[in-house]
Amino acid sequence: MTSIIVIIAIFSLLTTSITFAIVFKGLRAHKKRNLQRKAILAGGTSAQAVINLIQQTNVQVDDQPEVLLDLTVTKQDGEIIHTVVKTVIQIVNIPAFQKGCVIEVKYMTIDNEQKFEVVGAYVP
């Protein structure tokens, strides 16, 4: 009987440790992503983008909807890039983010990949 209790206690401690590790890793990744977003918005290169499609996800951040924006971006040098950006838009600004609207984005190369952020997006 004692060995069963010890096995259950060890299993519980192991499960708890794994759960905490996963949660902390997720929080660290989320914080890193927000810092990256802020860096792009503060120091990135401006470009114009046409919204091809806006689609709401099932996520909300501080009661603001997260959306996927399918964009055609025209960079300052005339290069045209197609990208999809997942971002949070304040609900009062949703009318300015409809199909066909031109919005400002900023971009920056990070880890050999161009990352885009929407100017005016909600960043907690």
Side-chain angles (χ1 to χ4, degrees):
M1 185 68 165
T2 305
S3 61
I4 292 174
I5 293 173
V6 169
I7 291 171
I8 291 172
I10 291 171
F11 182 74
S12 296
L13 289 173
L14 185 61
T15 304
T16 302
S17 297
I18 291 170
T19 302
F20 278 129
I22 291 170
V23 168
F24 286 129
K25 184 177 178 181
L27 288 173
R28 204 170 331 131
H30 181 72
K31 183 177 180 178
K32 180 182 176 185
R33 175 70 180 126
N34 275 344
L35 288 174
Q36 187 180 80
R37 292 180 71 205
K38 289 177 183 179
I40 294 168
L41 290 169
T45 304
S46 292
Q48 297 295 306
V50 176
I51 299 174
N52 302 316
L53 178 70
I54 180 170
Q55 182 178 13
Q56 187 173 350
T57 67
N58 290 328
V59 176
Q60 288 195 345
V61 177
D62 297 334
D63 295 324
Q64 306 304 318
E66 180 184 73
V67 296
L68 291 174
L69 292 173
D70 181 289
L71 303 173
T72 300
V73 179
T74 304
K75 296 167 59 174
Q76 290 178 352
D77 63 3
E79 181 183 1
I80 296 175
I81 296 176
H82 178 261
T83 189
V84 175
V85 176
K86 185 187 294 187
T87 190
V88 178
I89 305 294
Q90 290 182 338
I91 200 154
V92 297
N93 294 335
I94 290 292
F97 289 88
Q98 298 302 309
K99 182 177 179 176
C101 290
V102 177
I103 60 171
E104 183 183 359
V105 296
K106 290 199 175 184
Y107 64 93
M108 184 180 285
T109 302
I110 299 173
D111 297 329
N112 294 322
E113 183 181 346
Q114 285 191 340
K115 306 276 186 168
F116 294 86
E117 290 298 331
V118 175
V119 174
Y122 176 74
V123 181

